[in-house]
Structure formats: structure tokens, C-alpha cells
């Protein structure tokens, strides 16, 4: 039994010694092999091989790629960087040019509109009535003018025959001219009311994008309103411009470019 124990202990000690000594013996053997290989190479090539070996040790043994190019002269573009801002060319604040109540809003915030598109419609019944009155007044004064012209013609005939004095003819001529002037006044009033009627329909003056709509149907607007936003703001989106700041020393170069 003791012999078996001794054999086991001996085998374990031998295994431990082998595990400890074999890696070191293998390292020494590999080192001797490399030294022998280096000595053999040096013997065949002399001093040159020794220098190559020293260079190989100092350079780590890696080759360095070298790329060549032909030197030449050419223009190199000069670039400048700056922070810029995109700005619209035209921005219109739409306001009412007449007093009235908004009956219809034909645009929404952010909508793209064309020049002439309906934005707002004001109550135009009072203006329509005034235009009808103007036309009736013109018809009435035209009838008076026709009567005055007929009187003038009759007086001319009587004066030529000596039946009436010249003063009657002069009065008839003055009355005819006054009637014509009255018609001219009536027509001017009609034109003014027609212009006011055109103000009842507010359309887009330019193409662009609509901003915030600052009113709604039922509100009363005034021509004297001077609020910053007006009824709505339209910003032209095409074309746009870019503004940026550069150093004063580069200004001439930019202008030449």
C-alpha cells in the first residue's frame, strides 16, 4: 500500500516538474534557433547583411510606401464662409381702404395665394344703394339738361326772328351749361362710389404665402386702422434673396467676382 502511495507521489512531482520546465526549455530552444539563422545569414553576406539586420531591428521590419507627383502650377479657388439669412423680396401688409363689416374670409393662415385671389369681402349693400342713387340722379339731371337744351334752341330761333330779346337767349344758354355741369358732378360722384365699392372686395396684391389672419367674419374694419399686422400679411416666396455679412477687406474681391 505504501509503495502505491509513493508511486503516486512520484508521478505527481514529475508532472509538476515537466509543466514548470518545458515552456522555458522551449523558449531557449527557439531563441537558439533564431540566433543560428541570423548567424548563417550574416556569414553569407558580410558587413552589408549586418547593416541590413540593424536597420531591420530599428525599423521594425515594415516597408514604407513612397508616392511621387510632378509639381505643377494651377489656379486654386478661394472660398469664404459666412452666415447668411434668406429674406423675402416683397412683404405686403393688407389693410382695408374702407369702413365696413366683414361678411366673408376667403383665405386661411399659411395658404399660398395668387395676385387677385379673394381675401376678404365686406358688406357692400350701402355702397350699392348709393350707386343706384347716383344713377337715378344722373337720369334726373339728364332730363333737366335736355329741357334746358331745348329751351336754348327755341330761344335762338326766337332771337333770330326778333321775337325775343337777347337776354332770354343768354339765360337759356347759361341754364343749359349749368345742367351739363350738374351731370358731370353726378358722374364724378358715381365714379367715386364705384371705387368705394371696389374696396369692399379685398384681394391679394401679390403672389405669396399668407401669414396670420388677424380678423374673422363679423368684425368691423376701418380704413384708419394702423395696426402692425393689418388684416393679414402676404410674403412673396419666389424669388428670395440671401443677405450675409463679410469682412470689409474682402468686399472688393466679392464685387469683382
Amino acid at each position: 500500500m505504501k509503495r502505491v502511495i509513493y508511486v503516486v507521489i512520484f508521478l505527481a512531482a514529475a508532472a509538476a516538474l515537466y509543466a514548470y520546465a518545458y515552456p522555458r526549455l522551449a523558449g531557449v530552444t527557439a531563441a537558439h534557433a533564431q540566433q543560428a539563422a541570423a548567424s548563417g545569414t550574416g556569414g553569407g553576406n558580410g558587413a552589408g547583411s549586418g547593416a541590413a539586420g540593424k536597420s531591420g531591428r530599428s525599423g521594425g521590419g515594415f516597408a514604407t510606401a513612397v508616392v511621387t507627383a510632378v509639381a505643377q502650377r494651377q489656379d486654386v479657388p478661394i472660398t469664404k464662409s459666412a452666415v447668411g439669412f434668406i429674406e423675402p423680396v416683397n412683404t405686403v401688409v393688407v389693410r382695408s381702404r374702407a369702413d365696413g363689416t366683414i361678411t366673408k374670409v376667403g383665405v386661411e393662415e399659411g395658404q399660398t395665394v395668387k395676385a387677385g385671389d379673394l381675401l376678404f369681402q365686406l358688406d357692400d349693400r350701402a355702397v350699392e344703394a348709393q350707386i343706384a342713387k347716383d344713377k337715378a340722379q344722373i337720369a334726373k339731371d339728364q332730363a333737366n339738361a335736355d329741357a334746358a337744351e331745348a329751351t336754348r334752341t327755341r330761344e335762338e330761333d326766337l332771337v333770330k326772328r326778333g321775337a325775343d330779346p337777347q337776354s332770354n337767349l343768354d339765360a337759356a344758354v347759361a341754364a343749359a351749361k349749368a345742367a351739363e355741369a350738374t351731370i358731370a358732378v353726378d358722374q364724378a360722384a358715381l365714379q367715386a362710389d364705384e371705387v368705394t365699392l371696389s374696396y369692399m372686395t379685398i384681394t391679394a396684391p401679390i403672389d405669396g404665402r399668407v401669414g396670420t389672419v388677424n380678423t374673422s367674419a363679423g368684425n368691423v374694419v376701418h380704413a384708419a386702422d394702423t395696426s402692425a399686422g393689418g388684416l393679414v400679411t402676404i410674403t412673396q416666396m419666389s424669388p428670395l434673396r440671401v443677405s450675409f455679412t463679410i469682412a470689409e477687406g474682402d468686399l472688393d474681391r466679392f464685387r469683382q467676382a
Side-chain angles (χ1 to χ4, degrees):
M1 185 64 182
K2 291 182 178 181
R3 292 180 179 178
V4 174
I5 295 174
Y6 291 152
V7 171
V8 172
I9 294 173
F10 177 79
L11 293 176
L17 180 62
Y18 178 82
Y20 176 80
Y22 178 76
R24 288 163 175 75
L25 293 175
V28 172
T29 304
H32 283 296
Q34 291 178 359
Q35 186 175 4
S39 299
T41 305
N45 199 18
S49 298
K54 187 182 294 183
S55 175
R57 286 193 300 272
S58 63
F62 296 101
T64 302
V66 178
V67 179
T68 61
V70 179
Q72 56 182 345
R73 177 179 293 181
Q74 63 181 5
D75 295 334
V76 178
I78 300 175
T79 59
K80 293 287 184 179
S81 299
V83 177
F85 300 91
I86 297 178
E87 300 176 346
V89 177
N90 294 318
T91 300
V92 177
V93 179
V94 179
R95 306 181 190 275
S96 176
R97 291 185 288 179
D99 298 343
T101 303
I102 296 178
T103 59
K104 180 180 179 181
V105 178
V107 69
E108 297 179 354
E109 181 177 349
Q111 179 180 342
T112 299
V113 296
K114 297 290 185 181
D117 288 352
L118 176 66
L119 301 179
F120 303 96
Q121 180 65 52
L122 304 183
D123 186 3
D124 57 0
R125 291 175 296 177
V127 183
E128 290 281 6
Q130 184 61 41
I131 289 177
K133 180 179 178 181
D134 293 339
K135 292 180 178 180
Q137 187 66 38
I138 290 175
K140 176 183 176 181
D141 291 338
Q142 183 64 52
N144 293 333
D146 294 340
E149 180 63 23
T151 301
R152 184 186 66 81
T153 303
R154 184 170 55 254
E155 287 297 330
E156 284 182 350
D157 183 61
L158 292 174
V159 168
K160 287 179 181 180
R161 291 185 297 174
D164 270 350
Q166 181 66 34
S167 60
N168 289 346
L169 176 59
D170 294 340
V173 171
K177 291 181 178 180
E180 292 177 357
T182 302
I183 293 175
V185 172
D186 295 340
Q187 291 176 343
L190 174 61
Q191 291 176 357
D193 290 336
E194 287 176 343
V195 171
T196 303
L197 178 62
S198 68
Y199 293 163
M200 298 294 106
T201 302
I202 302 175
T203 58
I206 61 173
D207 299 349
R209 187 180 298 276
V210 175
T212 302
V213 180
N214 297 317
T215 188
S216 59
N219 287 331
V220 177
V221 295
H222 301 281
D225 182 18
T226 59
S227 59
L231 300 179
V232 72
T233 300
I234 300 178
T235 302
Q236 184 177 357
M237 303 303 295
S238 178
L240 296 172
R241 66 186 175 196
V242 177
S243 64
F244 56 92
T245 303
I246 59 173
E248 185 176 357
D250 297 330
L251 183 58
D252 290 338
R253 281 197 290 262
F254 271 82
R255 287 175 174 173
Q256 293 173 3

